[in-house]
Amino acid sequence: MPDSAPRRDTRGIVAPAELLSRVRFRRHLPAPELRPYLEHYWLLDWALPEPYVSRVVPHPSVNLVFQRYGPLDGSSPARSGAEVSGVGLGLFTKRLEGVGRVCGVQFRPGGFRPFAPARPVSDWTGRRVPLPEAFPDTTAGVTGGVRGGVTGGPTTGATGGVTGGALIDTGPDTDAGIGPDTGPDAGIGVGPESDPGSRAVDEAVLSAVLSPDADHARVAALDAFLLARGPAPDPAAAQARELVELVRTDRTVRRVARLSRLSGLSARSLQRLFAAHVGVGPKWVILRYRLHEALERAEAGTAPEWADLAAELGYSDQAHLVRDFTATLGLSPTAYARELSVP
């Protein structure tokens, strides 16, 4: 069932208290017709006296990101753009500085393809591409009104957004007999690194979304943009959304084999469904939600018993949890907990 209020957790944000003390971060629900497909809109504004490096362990979600870097009053040139950010495979870091604004759309896992049905969602995984690559009608000069976008090109680096070592399937899931997920190791996020020489986007959408100071006006512009482009009903995409939500909420789903039994789909069918509509495999999704929970527990103030947590999350032992955590964040769970405790 679609949410009646946006999420209030900080799951996936590394050192969330630090970030939230430096920026204005809000979430808003989209129009009711869009809620089955979208988690929320996320708005970020900052005016920093000194640079800050943010870090995020991305969700298994595609994002649309509208961004402006520089003053909004025209006192000096500002850079604006919009892009599609596929599922980020590893830790995403971004250096924030000066003045900036970001308006983002976080789709539910499985929620993006009804708006861009021509390609499987795995085509976007680990990539950040200019908006017209997914929505050709947003190219500057094609249409006016709310149909617009940005400049930019695909990037393959792991920096450039509010959201690294890759966390991908590195071997077969012995429960399910599936091989590794594939795709470039790149982050998702909100950076100006897109190539300004590639397809420019109509300025109208950028202005509609990024110019208003009032949140409700930005939300209305994002609603208008998306409602003008779908979504197209897709039973397979709906099934993928339901299965990812099952993984997220059912703590007994610790193996692909368990998800296969619950869904009635073979492991191979699950892999194909997730590649087409989520962008990563079911094993990756299970591991990512485990890691988010471990990250959240490390931030709770009292260090958990890591061996007990590893068992609770479905890891075979503590060493496997530590390995996944360290490979993604670049430091162990205990080191991360110590970092948070330093004033």
Side-chain angles (χ1 to χ4, degrees):
M1 175 180 294
D3 298 327
S4 58
R7 286 186 8 240
R8 300 183 63 85
D9 64 80
T10 57
R11 188 164 288 190
I13 301 175
V14 178
E18 285 187 13
L19 176 65
L20 299 180
S21 70
R22 291 169 169 83
V23 305
R24 289 184 60 228
F25 176 77
R26 296 89 70 203
R27 295 186 180 116
H28 294 282
L29 290 179
E33 310 94 292
L34 296 170
R35 293 178 192 176
Y37 307 93
L38 274 60
E39 289 273 7
H40 51 248
Y41 300 136
W42 51 275
L43 308 181
L44 194 68
D45 295 83
W46 68 89
L48 297 173
E50 58 185 29
Y52 175 72
V53 177
S54 63
R55 297 171 291 170
V56 171
V57 179
H59 290 255
S61 300
V62 175
N63 284 253
L64 296 186
V65 185
F66 297 80
Q67 53 214 345
R68 177 171 289 166
Y69 297 85
L72 300 174
D73 59 7
S75 58
S76 63
R79 296 173 294 168
S80 298
E83 64 188 20
V84 176
S85 292
V87 177
L89 297 176
L91 180 69
F92 200 88
T93 64
K94 173 61 184 176
R95 177 184 170 96
L96 302 176
E97 55 187 327
V99 177
R101 170 174 292 176
V102 173
C103 301
V105 178
Q106 182 173 323
F107 290 86
R108 296 183 187 277
F112 179 68
R113 192 167 182 185
F115 295 87
R119 296 165 64 176
V121 178
S122 57
D123 277 8
W124 313 109
T125 298
R127 301 177 63 213
R128 295 169 44 222
V129 303
L131 195 66
E133 186 163 333
F135 302 100
D137 66 326
T138 64
T139 303
V142 172
T143 84
V146 295
R147 294 178 179 272
V150 34
T151 66
T155 64
T156 56
T159 60
V162 177
T163 23
L167 179 63
I168 61 174
D169 290 1
T170 55
D173 184 319
T174 53
D175 277 346
I178 62 173
D181 292 333
T182 59
D185 174 19
I188 68 169
V190 297
E193 292 82 357
S194 296
D195 175 10
S198 65
R199 298 169 66 182
V201 183
D202 194 328
E203 181 64 27
V205 165
L206 295 178
S207 179
V209 173
L210 293 168
S211 294
D213 287 326
D215 284 10
H216 69 83
R218 298 187 219 175
V219 168
L222 291 169
D223 280 344
F225 178 85
L226 291 167
L227 288 170
R229 289 164 176 80
D234 185 337
Q239 183 181 32
R241 294 196 300 274
E242 292 172 0
L243 291 177
V244 173
E245 183 65 9
L246 182 64
V247 171
R248 188 182 71 83
T249 58
D250 188 340
R251 297 286 298 278
T252 70
V253 182
R254 301 173 177 177
R255 299 283 189 276
V256 175
R258 169 70 173 163
L259 186 61
S260 180
R261 288 193 295 271
L262 291 174
S263 66
L265 298 175
S266 70
R268 290 291 180 186
S269 294
L270 283 172
Q271 188 78 1
R272 287 191 294 269
L273 178 70
F274 274 56
H277 297 283
V278 182
V280 288
K283 180 182 176 184
W284 192 96
V285 173
I286 292 169
L287 287 172
R288 179 50 52 95
Y289 281 137
R290 286 182 189 169
L291 188 61
H292 277 172
E293 186 157 352
L295 188 67
E296 190 173 55
R297 298 284 280 274
E299 296 161 355
T302 302
E305 293 293 334
W306 294 107
D308 293 343
L309 180 59
E312 183 181 335
L313 296 179
Y315 284 91
S316 57
D317 54 37
Q318 180 178 345
H320 282 81
L321 168 60
V322 172
R323 181 191 65 194
D324 282 354
F325 195 105
T326 305
T328 303
L329 267 72
L331 69 169
S332 70
T334 53
Y336 177 60
R338 284 197 302 269
E339 180 184 284
L340 293 177
S341 68
V342 176

